[in-house]
Amino acid sequence: MPIAVPGRPAELSGASTATERSSRAFALPRGLGGTAGRIAALTVCQAALMVGFGRLITGPAKHVWPMTVEDHVDEGFEHLRTHALTDVSYIGSEAGNTLTVIVITLLACVGLVLIPRLPMWRQASFLAVAVSLQALVFLVITLLVDRQRPHVHRLDASPPTSSYTSGHTGAATALYAGLAWLVLSKVRGPWRRIVAGILFLLPLFVAMSRLYRGMHHPTDVLGGLANGGLSLAITGSALFARPLVTAPPADGTAVEAAPGTDAVDSGPREAVSADDAAAGDSERAPALPGPVTVVVNPTVTGERDRDALRRVLESHGHRTPTFVETTAEDPGGGQAAAALRDGARLVVACGGDGTVRAVAEALAGSGVPLVVVPSGTGNLLARNLGLPLAPTDALDAALRGTPHRLDLARAEGDDFERTHFAAMAGAGLDAAIMERTADGAKSVIGWPAYVVAALTSLNTPPMALTLRLDGAPALRREARMVLVGNVGTVQGGTTLLPAARPDDGRLDLMILDPRGPGGWARALTAVLRGGRRKQPAPAHVTDAEGRSVPVEYFTFREAELTFDTPQSREVDGDPVSRGTRLGVSVVPGALTVLLPPRRAE
């Protein structure tokens, strides 16, 4: 079924009129009730988290540093006041004012619906819901947390609400950061990163203005930033949970699909949604002959899910698939190996990243195709391959596709056996986050559970390490985190390893070493810019101004990382034992995966 592409004559797009007509429908994800329920459940968790933090800083932690010095910060801003700064702070404060936020939100939503040739209903809903959610949570917080405003001269009238959290900052975060995300995902052109960067900085400008004007304590504006950010994360994960289906082109170059990207806006990259792929039996790829084994993780795949998967397989000609369950002792490798011995010609892995990793390791080098059916919390490989995140949609899309060869990575270290991984491995901060993310939290709120764990892991101490890449001389580094990736994008569409491709015969390494607030800000800026793609010089650990480099990137085939002290480590999201060594190497083209076809022109 042809699709309409900007700049292409109507006669080349075939049924472009019908496509445009269907695209103008208010197309939120299927299962609107489930989407609303997920948003509601996560919002309750968000409110509980924010209220709990507020009660903590106004109760048990009230006389604990840094709360004991917050008044000094406010007094310091008061002493810095000048007529010029006061005028500037007024602009920043008004940028987060309720009326300003409402007007800009309405204008942006109307613009998203009316201005583009094809209305962006989903993007408009994302912005409106995120701003509304943060306002709702803010009202709940002010009812349950009573905090007095700073004891300094305030430049604005004090509203009757609590000082915690900063409503201006929360609203500005939801609005301007939401607009920044839309700019990055929907706009093409060299200036989009500049615009997005300015929008991302606006909430910080509002926060500093509120501190300057004596309206809030530092933790109040931090709470506002967290409230707005969590509202964006919750809304985005719910409304953009089904990214487009793409496949690498014939030359094997990986193609990324950004969540929320519409096919008509994808430029030269031909993308097709899972719904478009279901055009009819004439478009189905021929069923691969032979037995099919489906390896399912029973903790995330119930009987109803299996029945739905069975119906999809049968619709593609696989009449008698065999379903086998993983166990706590065997997360999928043994089941996949048994399927190979029994003559399986296709293996389906239905679970999270751990299940996919175990099955992929068993299939490595066999040539038997794997179908990835994401059913876990992270689903990193599925996200980076552009597969839908709904299990039946992912299965249906893959079965319409063709085999593609992807790389695997081999990891080994002290106190854990050599294993393969398909997505990422690391040590330090990211591994600590994996260790502190409770399985119960993941089952209830999904991938935002990692965000909660990250907040408790930011105090992870830096580590000293020795790095050897492809036999080159050893490098010494200090880092908060080292991350090795076969793919580059994580949850929420954040790209940590911009040059990583799953079929280029190489792996990518990120060394994160931010020092102080300025270092974290520069690290965030580097990530938003897409990072440096050039390999830094071995001794290049400071920039031209003598500041430590917060983010470094390397590309390699084989790496040996040795830590001075035992560190937390993880492989595809699964924590492994703490240790002092992590060796990683690429296994080019080891895994065959069924991926959906690209739409023919």
Side-chain angles (χ1 to χ4, degrees), residues 129-324:
V129 173
V131 173
S132 301
L133 281 187
Q134 71 79 28
L136 177 62
V137 174
F138 167 73
L139 291 176
V140 173
I141 294 170
T142 58
L143 291 175
L144 299 179
V145 180
D146 184 17
R147 191 179 201 193
Q148 297 297 316
R149 296 190 180 272
H151 298 297
V152 296
H153 175 65
R154 294 188 283 275
L155 299 180
D156 295 324
S158 299
T161 54
S162 169
S163 181
Y164 175 86
T165 61
S166 171
H168 283 64
T169 306
T173 303
L175 172 59
Y176 301 120
L179 287 173
W181 187 89
L182 292 178
V183 167
L184 288 175
S185 63
K186 302 305 297 179
V187 176
R188 298 294 178 262
W191 50 270
R192 68 188 183 101
R193 295 187 184 275
I194 298 175
V195 174
I198 294 173
L199 289 169
F200 273 125
L201 289 175
L202 279 177
L204 298 178
F205 178 39
V206 173
M208 294 299 292
S209 298
R210 299 300 285 172
L211 289 174
Y212 176 91
R213 301 180 72 82
M215 302 307 297
H216 294 285
H217 306 277
T219 47
D220 300 335
V221 296
L222 289 176
L225 291 170
N227 186 32
L230 288 173
S231 295
L232 286 174
I234 290 171
T235 308
S237 66
L239 295 184
F240 299 106
R242 295 176 62 236
L244 300 179
V245 180
T246 63
D251 62 3
T253 303
V255 177
E256 300 178 50
T261 304
D262 295 332
V264 295
D265 292 326
S266 59
R269 183 183 299 162
E270 293 288 346
V272 55
S273 70
D275 295 332
D276 291 333
D281 291 340
S282 62
E283 295 189 26
R284 294 184 187 276
L288 295 174
V292 175
T293 297
V294 184
V295 180
V296 298
N297 183 337
T299 64
V300 294
T301 309
E303 285 298 330
R304 182 178 299 180
D305 301 315
R306 299 183 203 188
D307 290 340
L309 295 174
R310 186 178 287 108
R311 287 192 294 270
V312 173
L313 286 165
E314 291 176 350
S315 72
H316 285 270
H318 302 291
R319 303 296 179 185
T320 56
T322 301
F323 283 74
V324 293

Side-chain angles (χ1 to χ4, degrees), residues 10-227:
E11 60 268 20
L12 294 181
S13 62
S16 60
T17 302
T19 302
E20 182 170 340
R21 186 164 53 245
S22 64
S23 297
R24 290 185 177 276
F26 189 176
L28 288 176
R30 286 182 290 178
L32 184 57
T35 300
R38 178 179 175 84
I39 289 176
L42 292 175
T43 302
V44 171
C45 295
Q46 174 186 346
L49 177 67
M50 297 301 302
V51 170
F53 183 72
R55 299 297 289 267
L56 175 66
I57 64 176
T58 58
K62 183 177 181 179
H63 301 292
V64 177
W65 189 91
M67 267 60 73
T68 53
V69 299
E70 284 196 300
D71 288 339
H72 300 308
V73 175
D74 293 302
E75 292 167 0
F77 275 105
E78 185 180 27
H79 293 152
L80 290 174
R81 289 175 184 171
T82 65
H83 289 298
L85 290 177
T86 298
D87 291 340
V88 172
S89 72
Y90 175 79
I91 297 174
S93 183
E94 287 301 300
N97 193 18
T98 301
L99 181 59
T100 304
V101 170
I102 291 175
V103 170
I104 295 178
T105 302
L106 288 176
L107 291 175
C109 291
V110 171
L112 287 167
V113 172
L114 297 182
I115 294 177
R117 185 170 63 85
L118 298 179
M120 300 182 187
W121 286 105
R122 191 179 301 212
Q123 285 73 21
S125 301
F126 160 73
L127 193 63
V129 173
V131 173
S132 301
L133 281 187
Q134 71 79 28
L136 177 62
V137 174
F138 167 73
L139 291 176
V140 173
I141 294 170
T142 58
L143 291 175
L144 299 179
V145 180
D146 184 17
R147 191 179 201 193
Q148 297 297 316
R149 296 190 180 272
H151 298 297
V152 296
H153 175 65
R154 294 188 283 275
L155 299 180
D156 295 324
S158 299
T161 54
S162 169
S163 181
Y164 175 86
T165 61
S166 171
H168 283 64
T169 306
T173 303
L175 172 59
Y176 301 120
L179 287 173
W181 187 89
L182 292 178
V183 167
L184 288 175
S185 63
K186 302 305 297 179
V187 176
R188 298 294 178 262
W191 50 270
R192 68 188 183 101
R193 295 187 184 275
I194 298 175
V195 174
I198 294 173
L199 289 169
F200 273 125
L201 289 175
L202 279 177
L204 298 178
F205 178 39
V206 173
M208 294 299 292
S209 298
R210 299 300 285 172
L211 289 174
Y212 176 91
R213 301 180 72 82
M215 302 307 297
H216 294 285
H217 306 277
T219 47
D220 300 335
V221 296
L222 289 176
L225 291 170
N227 186 32

